[in-house]
């Protein structure tokens, strides 16, 4: 769906696995989807070279959302890890991976989220990390809760974590969502189901990983992100913070 690439040398032909810009069941797209075909604008030097993204932009606890405050957040601790890979299965190193999510009660920390679920003063819901030489990343956080979102009658979003991946500049950005296995809300979520191919939808669902589970501390989940090719992770052209 998107022509924005993390790095030009990882380009592969896209498969029909990404959600369309207009998905009528997802009501927000009716208002924001373009009515005419997008116009390609070539990236010039300023778009390609800046702003720079790298280790200097990271704080020591950006990867651990449970230790960013004096006290711990409420909820089930989880470790989310995986690899960022190109279409040929090669690792993509030094890629900035960011996440944002609701708290354990299903509420985001921003002014637009006003449904009556408690805010957690010890949880901001945002993190970032750079992939290592093998394309690996890891976050420590809490399991997000489901929340209502007024898209249709009695609409609730499945628990999910938003992922944003940057290459060398903001114009090289990809956005996706990670879901949890066995969620009963999958069938009535039009965002998840806007990815028409069931096999591609499965690539947005993390796997429980007992090897990453820490005894008496946190459950582990693995979520690999593939940028291009037949096994590509579905990406979206943009995302609202509360979707």
């Amino acid at each position: 769906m998107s022509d924005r690439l993390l790095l030009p040398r990882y380009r592969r032909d896209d498969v029909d696995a990404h959600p369309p810009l207009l998905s009528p069941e997802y009501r927000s797209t009716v208002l924001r989807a373009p009515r005419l075909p997008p116009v390609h604008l070539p990236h010039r030097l300023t778009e390609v070279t800046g702003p720079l993204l790298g280790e200097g932009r990271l704080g020591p606890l950006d990867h651990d959302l449970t230790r960013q405050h004096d006290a711990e957040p409420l909820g089930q601790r989880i470790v989310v890890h995986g690899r960022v890979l190109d279409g040929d299965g090669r690792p993509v190193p030094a890629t900035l991976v960011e996440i944002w999510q609701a708290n354990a009660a299903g509420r985001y920390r921003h002014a637009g989220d006003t449904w009556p679920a408690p805010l957690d003063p010890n949880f901001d819901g945002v993190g970032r990390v750079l992939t290592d030489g093998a394309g690996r990343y890891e976050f420590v956080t809490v399991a997000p809760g489901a929340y209502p979102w007024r898209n249709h009658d009695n609409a609730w979003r499945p628990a999910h974590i938003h992922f944003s991946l940057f290459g060398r500049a903001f114009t090289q950005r990809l956005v996706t969502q990670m879901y949890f296995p066995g969620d009963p809300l999958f069938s009535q979520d039009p965002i998840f189901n806007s990815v028409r191919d069931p096999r591609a939808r499965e690539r947005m669902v993390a796997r429980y990983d007992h090897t990453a589970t820490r005894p008496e501390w946190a459950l582990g989940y693995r979520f690999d992100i593939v940028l291009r090719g037949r096994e590509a992770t579905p990406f979206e052209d943009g995302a609202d913070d509360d979707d």
Side-chain angles (χ1 to χ4, degrees):
M1 161 179 160
S2 174
D3 287 329
R4 290 173 295 178
L5 308 175
L6 287 175
L7 292 173
R9 67 189 180 93
Y10 297 126
R11 185 179 183 91
R12 291 288 301 269
D13 291 336
D14 283 341
V15 295
D16 188 20
H18 306 296
L21 290 169
L22 177 61
S23 298
E25 297 85 1
Y26 177 16
R27 286 167 45 185
S28 294
T29 68
V30 177
L31 299 176
R32 70 189 187 196
R35 300 179 185 274
L36 298 174
V39 176
H40 176 71
L41 297 177
H43 292 168
R44 302 186 185 278
L45 187 62
T46 53
E47 286 85 21
V48 175
T49 60
L52 296 177
L53 306 170
E55 294 181 2
R57 303 268 176 169
L58 297 176
L61 295 178
D62 283 358
H63 69 290
D64 190 339
L65 285 67
T66 69
R67 295 195 296 146
Q68 295 173 353
H69 291 269
D70 291 338
E72 283 195 279
L74 297 174
Q76 171 68 62
R77 297 186 201 94
I78 59 174
V79 177
V80 178
H81 76 108
R83 299 178 73 197
V84 179
L85 306 169
D86 71 10
D88 294 314
R90 296 174 298 191
V92 183
T95 292
L96 182 65
V97 181
E98 294 183 334
I99 61 170
W100 70 97
Q101 64 168 94
N103 66 20
R107 187 168 175 184
Y108 289 94
R109 180 178 288 278
H110 65 70
D113 193 346
T114 58
W115 83 283
L119 280 173
D120 190 333
N122 298 307
F123 189 73
D124 292 335
V126 293
R128 51 172 33 189
V129 71
L130 281 179
T131 57
D132 66 12
R136 294 173 299 208
Y137 73 88
E138 181 177 292
F139 291 99
V140 180
T141 182
V142 298
Y147 57 83
W149 65 304
R150 301 177 181 175
N151 185 78
H152 50 277
D153 182 55
N154 199 15
W156 290 77
R157 290 233 54 214
H160 60 279
I161 296 178
H162 297 269
F163 274 73
S164 171
L165 292 87
F166 287 99
R168 302 301 184 191
F170 284 148
T171 55
Q172 299 169 328
R173 186 190 186 202
L174 297 172
V175 176
T176 190
Q177 297 184 28
M178 185 201 92
Y179 298 87
F180 293 85
D183 198 304
L185 297 174
F186 283 157
S187 63
Q188 66 101 50
D189 182 49
I191 296 181
F192 180 74
N193 290 291
S194 67
V195 177
R196 307 302 185 190
D197 184 346
R199 296 167 299 180
R201 284 200 297 268
E202 287 301 312
R203 296 197 287 272
M204 296 189 294
V205 181
R207 304 194 313 271
Y208 171 70
D209 186 353
H210 199 65
T211 63
T213 295
R214 300 178 184 175
E216 302 180 29
W217 180 254
L219 296 178
Y221 291 91
R222 178 164 187 141
F223 184 57
D224 292 334
I225 300 172
V226 181
L227 303 183
R228 289 290 183 264
R230 293 184 178 180
E231 300 301 316
T233 303
F235 295 106
E236 53 192 285
D237 231 9
D240 293 337
D241 286 353
D242 58 350
D243 287 349

